[in-house]
Amino acid sequence: MREQSYTNDQEQLARYAKAMGHPARVAILGFLARQEHCYFGDIHEELPIAKATVSQHLKELKEAGLIKGEIEAPKVKYCIDRQNWEKARRMMADFMSYCACKTTDCCG
């Protein structure tokens, strides 16, 4: 069997897509993206998500590089990682814009 190798961009795009692969994470990203500054507070108070669940989702988003978070007792500061957010936006737009099929009914 041939070992499959993926490009760095394919692996990064997959990480971003996986991080956004749950509605709660999309809601968290949407909430943070609407903030003009980093958000100090408990996100579970702003969204209909349990505190433990929010923590798990924040961890996924942070590991993917889409958000940043720092503990500043007694609160935690969260914000969009602007550099990676822009990179993810470009990568997804590029990926979604490519389609060799130029007709509207390729498979029909």
Side-chain angles (χ1 to χ4, degrees), residues 1-85:
M1 178 185 272
R2 191 177 131 219
E3 184 178 322
Q4 181 69 40
S5 89
Y6 301 103
T7 67
N8 289 339
D9 281 352
Q10 289 169 330
E11 290 180 3
Q12 184 63 56
L13 181 58
R15 275 192 292 278
Y16 290 146
K18 181 181 180 222
M20 292 187 284
H22 191 284
R25 292 194 287 268
V26 172
I28 290 167
L29 287 171
F31 172 75
L32 292 175
R34 289 188 301 275
Q35 306 303 309
E36 290 187 26
H37 305 284
C38 287
Y39 178 75
F40 287 87
D42 294 321
I43 290 176
H44 77 278
E45 292 176 1
E46 301 295 327
L47 300 170
I49 307 168
K51 191 172 189 173
T53 305
V54 168
S55 294
Q56 292 171 346
H57 290 307
L58 288 169
K59 180 181 175 197
E60 287 283 332
L61 293 168
K62 196 171 176 183
E63 286 176 0
L66 292 171
I67 66 169
K68 296 186 229 181
E70 298 175 16
I71 296 173
E72 293 187 8
K75 299 285 185 185
V76 180
K77 173 173 82 170
Y78 299 102
C79 58
I80 295 292
D81 183 314
R82 301 285 178 199
Q83 184 176 356
N84 287 339
W85 182 265

